[in-house]
Amino acid sequence: VTMSGGAEKLTYFASFGIQKQEGIIKSNQLDRYNGRINATQKLLNDKLVIDASLSYNSTNNIRPNIGGIIGDALSNNPTYPATNSNGTPAVYQNISNPLLTLQLDKDVTTINRMIGSISPSLTIIKGLVYKFNLGIDNSTSTRDIQSLPNAVPLRDGRLETYNNINRNMLVENYVTYNFNRNKHAVSTLAGHS
């Protein structure tokens, strides 16, 4: 979904999207959400122009422990039923039932990222422009690997959690001067980032 518009001194663009994707293996789901807004405002007889943007992305990925599921499904005897008469995964000697793995193991990853910037530029005199830019990038992710305990086959339960935080900031100051006369054009730039 997108929306854009504005007036004489203000323009904007906004978008929002959702993607829900089911995997080819049971208990596998990927959900993505993203939003973005850009705006430009002109002030002081267009001598001051402010550009701003903000975007947000969220990803939620739920998946089984696929390490052995596909191999177990391919190597198991296809004449053995996968479930008992009560619908629970069947348990056999020396055979790993992929349905039991799907029931007991889960891997969930959530990633949230926000990127924003504001960038005003001011025309001081004709040809001389000062521009400031501030940008922020903030990302967090959490991954939970869950293994539930079980009696047959016997195994202990465990939970592993991995957290990651990444933050970056950008600060820039630039002054540009453009001089045009007759057939000659000169452009100079000085700045700090």
Side-chain angles (χ1 to χ4, degrees), residues 56 112-116 136-140 165-168:
Y56 179 77
N112 294 303
R113 186 176 187 191
M114 184 171 60
I115 301 172
I136 297 173
D137 183 350
N138 185 56
S139 177
T140 60
I165 298 171
N166 186 15
R167 291 189 181 109
N168 294 304

Side-chain angles (χ1 to χ4, degrees), residues 120-124 128-133 172-176:
S121 60
L122 177 65
T123 302
I124 300 169
L128 181 64
V129 178
Y130 165 71
K131 184 170 186 174
F132 172 75
N133 184 32
E172 296 177 320
N173 293 283
Y174 291 105
V175 176
T176 56

Side-chain angles (χ1 to χ4, degrees), residues 63-124:
R63 60 185 177 212
N65 179 0
I66 62 170
I69 288 178
I70 296 172
D72 290 342
L74 292 173
S75 64
N76 285 350
N77 186 335
T79 62
Y80 287 16
T83 59
N84 295 319
S85 59
N86 62 3
T88 61
V91 178
Y92 300 100
Q93 287 288 353
N94 302 320
I95 294 177
S96 295
N97 188 340
L99 293 179
L100 187 61
T101 303
L102 288 171
Q103 191 176 39
L104 297 175
D105 296 334
K106 190 184 335 181
D107 187 343
V108 180
T109 303
T110 303
I111 302 170
N112 294 303
R113 186 176 187 191
M114 184 171 60
I115 301 172
S117 70
I118 186 163
S119 182
S121 60
L122 177 65
T123 302
I124 300 169

Side-chain angles (χ1 to χ4, degrees), residues 21-74:
Q21 185 174 350
E22 190 176 323
I24 60 172
I25 298 175
K26 284 185 177 186
S27 305
N28 192 356
Q29 178 75 33
L30 176 67
D31 299 331
R32 285 189 180 129
Y33 305 91
N34 58 64
R36 180 179 186 93
I37 185 164
N38 297 338
T40 300
Q41 174 72 56
K42 296 179 180 178
L43 303 163
L44 305 174
N45 294 327
D46 297 346
K47 289 185 177 183
L48 177 62
V49 179
I50 301 172
D51 293 312
S53 69
L54 180 67
S55 69
Y56 179 77
N57 297 299
S58 179
T59 303
N60 189 28
N61 190 5
I62 301 171
R63 60 185 177 212
N65 179 0
I66 62 170
I69 288 178
I70 296 172
D72 290 342
L74 292 173

